[in-house]
């Protein structure tokens, strides 16, 4: 998918220089930047990331569920 993004001249020059310094294409820089942005906001980047996040959430939910917490001992009944 192609989308058009506008940069001011100074920013674009700095991005081109960064790409040269790192021997990376502009597309690679953009991919890294957008992946970092999604990660910052907790949005899975791909299926593997989504599954990893889901599994971690499942472990947290399981640990917090009342069925896994220690149950109080039943009280002994007193006979009158």
């Amino acid at each position: 998918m192609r989308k058009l993004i506008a940069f001011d001249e100074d920013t674009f020059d700095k991005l081109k220089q960064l790409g040269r310094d790192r021997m990376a294409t502009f597309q690679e820089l953009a991919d890294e930047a957008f992946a970092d942005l999604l990660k910052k906001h907790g949005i899975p980047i791909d299926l593997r990331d989504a599954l990893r996040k889901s599994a971690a959430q499942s472990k947290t939910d399981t640990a917090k569920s009342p069925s896994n917490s220690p149950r109080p001992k039943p009280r002994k009944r007193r006979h009158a």
Side-chain angles (χ1 to χ4, degrees):
M1 176 185 307
R2 293 183 179 264
K3 295 290 180 182
L4 183 64
I5 300 174
F7 295 100
D8 61 81
E9 185 99 17
D10 188 43
T11 301
F12 184 70
D13 290 340
K14 289 178 182 177
L15 289 170
K16 283 194 318 189
Q17 186 60 47
L18 178 63
R20 285 189 208 114
D21 292 346
R22 293 182 54 193
M23 295 181 10
T25 65
F26 190 79
Q27 183 63 52
E28 290 168 335
L29 294 176
D31 289 345
E32 181 181 347
F34 287 116
D36 289 347
L37 182 65
L38 293 172
K39 184 176 181 180
K40 174 183 171 184
H41 292 282
I43 300 170
I45 298 166
D46 56 11
L47 178 59
R48 177 178 280 171
D49 193 33
L51 292 172
R52 189 178 300 123
K53 186 174 181 178
S54 176
Q57 182 66 36
S58 178
K59 284 183 182 179
T60 304
D61 291 346
T62 302
K64 290 181 181 177
S65 73
S67 63
N68 288 338
S69 62
R71 294 182 181 171
K73 293 181 180 178
R75 292 183 177 184
K76 294 182 180 179
R77 294 184 181 177
R78 294 183 183 181
H79 297 286

